Amino acid sequence: MRIVTSIPDMHRIADAERAAGKRIGFVPTMGFLHAGHMSLLHAARARCSTVVMSIFVNPIQFGPAEDFARYPRDEARDLAMAEEHGCDIVFLPSREDMYPDGFETSVDLNRSTIPLEGESRPGHFRGVATVVAKLFNIVKPHMAVFGQKDAQQAIVIRRMTRDLNMDVEIVVAPIVREPDGLAMSSRNAYLSTEERTEALAISRSLRLAESMCAGGIRDPQRIADTVGDAIRSSGRVSVEYARLVDAETFEDAPAMAGDRPALLVVAARVGSTRLIDNTILSWKDTI
Ligand code: AMP
């Protein structure tokens, strides 16, 4: 596995891979890797001959009161894990190279960044879209894999690539969970043992919504309210939002007459840790 830290080196390697007829698959991450990230590597490997993973904790996607400084980092462990899972190249840029003095260009989306995460974390998706656009220009992938765990992020990236005519295929891989249901996340490292148990209320509430849906309940507000109440009543987890939205537009899902899948998205705080999770509710299959 090659470790590349300089942007010109990454450019040269990407050009050489492309010239050799290789198909480059790319997995952008912020490190502190877990099985969710590994599933993205495997998805890239299944479709591409050269797999590149980037590890970069992107400062511009964190708000001033957010956890940039304390975001968990373990480069040695990350590199060992990436290698073990067949990654070919890890790109590890420095903050100074990514955002040198005078940096002032950003990629901004309008509608898809407004609701939910966009409201809770102003500027977050501008930071995400900007760094992903930069990484696409540096790594020159044919394909990039993102996790359904960050559902709105995946939509934002898809929209950006379409709107800016980026020649990168976007693949979205399913959420990987712990055996007890907790969605894997680097931020789970913040949770105490007690908080870790309380956090299970989030994934449990999603299963509850799935069974409501399977039982024929079609009222989005009722489902979202039940989910919010279920999380709140189970302990000290506070709900930032629990909403049923259109899986493409992230606008509130209308009463479930149509056959478009709806996405149930939840953001909640367990102690000082903010966690997100989601599930797709397919109304059509259950009618
Ligand atoms: P992060 O390092 O948190 O920025 O995540 C990097 C990529 O991994 C993003 O595309 C995430 O959506 C994806 N990811 C994070 N957690 C999971 C998970 N539990 N299952 C699948 N993908 C995930």
Side-chain angles (χ1 to χ4, degrees), residues 12-13 105 147 179 195 209 229 286:
R12 268 193 296 275
I13 290 168
T105 304
E195 288 172 338
D229 291 345
T286 59

Side-chain angles (χ1 to χ4, degrees), residues 182 185 187-188 191 199 202 266-268 270 273-277:
L182 183 69
S185 165
R187 290 190 168 97
N188 292 349
L191 301 170
I202 301 168
V266 174
V270 189
T273 305
R274 184 173 187 278
L275 299 175
I276 57 172
D277 202 346

Side-chain angles (χ1 to χ4, degrees), residues 17-18 21-25 47-51 142-143 169:
E17 294 296 305
R18 280 181 164 256
K22 299 286 180 61
R23 183 171 161 80
I24 303 176
R47 295 165 175 84
C48 294
S49 41
T50 299
V51 176
H142 296 86
M143 195 268 303
E169 181 196 348

